[in-house]
Amino acid sequence: GAGVSQSPSNKVTEKGKDVELRCDPISGHTALYWYRQSLGQGLEFLIYFQGNSAPDKSGLPSDRFSAERTGGSVSTLTIQRTQQEDSAVYLCASSLVPGGVEAFFGQGTRLTVV
Amino acid sequence: GESVGLHLPTLSVQEGDNSIINCAYSNSASDYFIWYKQESGKGPQFIIDIRSNMDKRQGQRVTVLLNKTVKHLSLQIAATQPGDSAVYFCAENMGNTDKLIFGTGTRLQVFP
């Protein structure tokens, strides 16, 4: 596709359930980022994938959060045993080269934990 | 966690005036800075970037200024238009880690 695609666009889940959020980056982009944005706040870095290198997971807030990127393309962010404080918009971005040069964002997934 | 800019101020400007949005960054080793615009309900959109070996870069109606001495970044928007109303974020590339770290942003409101 022409841009970064995220699905679902909205997700409502019950506390304690697991959720999977998907990101389809722009074709050929080697760098992929996940961010979390709470209402009215900035973007909190979660994880960064670059090519075949080990991902930078330093932003994941707890061991309930994990992410993978299969075949250097699609990425899935998984949140286990969701909590209400996990409610936020989860944004994915990709860029052609390392370092976030002209990183393009998807529309995000709005997660609501009830 | 790591952050650039700790507040979410609001800047209100009249249509046609120039806007200046400021940002303080944290890492003197950062070598790449970006400004993003985020409209309500949308993902951030790239506006302009600047490398640390530059102190000024101009785009269409926008100019980014970098002052490494005081670790300050600014975005100037000329002849601000209603369509410029959004939240603006600065971001820094954390040098050798390649992470992009964002601040909390500034809300720009343009009134007629």
Side-chain angles (χ1 to χ4, degrees), chain B residues 5-79:
Chain B
L6 300 178
H7 306 287
L8 182 57
T10 298
L11 176 65
S12 296
V13 299
Q14 191 166 23
E15 182 178 357
D17 286 353
N18 296 333
S19 303
I20 300 176
I21 301 171
N22 297 302
C23 174
Y25 63 92
S26 59
N27 188 348
S28 57
S30 293
D31 59 7
Y32 178 64
F33 304 88
I34 316 169
W35 280 101
Y36 282 90
K37 171 186 180 183
Q38 187 176 30
E39 296 173 291
S40 181
K42 297 183 179 180
Q45 179 184 5
F46 173 90
I47 301 174
I48 191 169
D49 58 3
I50 189 168
R51 293 281 182 189
S52 60
N53 61 353
M54 302 172 67
D55 54 19
K56 180 179 181 179
R57 190 171 186 207
Q58 288 185 298
Q60 186 177 12
R61 282 202 307 119
V62 295
T63 300
V64 56
L65 299 178
L66 175 63
N67 185 330
K68 294 181 287 293
T69 302
V70 295
K71 293 190 285 188
H72 183 268
L73 194 67
S74 69
L75 177 70
Q76 301 178 0
I77 305 173

Side-chain angles (χ1 to χ4, degrees), chain A residues 29-105:
Chain A
H29 281 196
T30 61
L32 187 147
Y33 300 81
W34 281 100
Y35 292 87
R36 177 169 70 175
Q37 187 174 30
S38 300
L39 185 63
Q41 299 298 312
L43 281 72
E44 176 188 4
F45 169 80
L46 297 177
I47 189 168
Y48 166 59
F49 295 90
Q50 173 51 44
N52 295 320
S53 301
D56 182 335
K57 304 179 181 180
S58 59
L60 295 178
S62 77
D63 59 8
R64 295 187 296 105
F65 287 72
S66 63
E68 62 178 22
R69 189 178 184 192
T70 54
S73 180
V74 172
S75 179
T76 302
L77 177 69
T78 301
I79 308 174
Q80 296 178 309
R81 305 180 302 282
T82 51
Q83 304 294 314
Q84 288 186 330
E85 59 264 28
D86 299 334
S87 296
V89 175
Y90 289 82
L91 289 157
C92 174
S94 71
S95 66
L96 186 59
V97 297
V101 177
E102 290 204 45
F104 294 89
F105 279 83

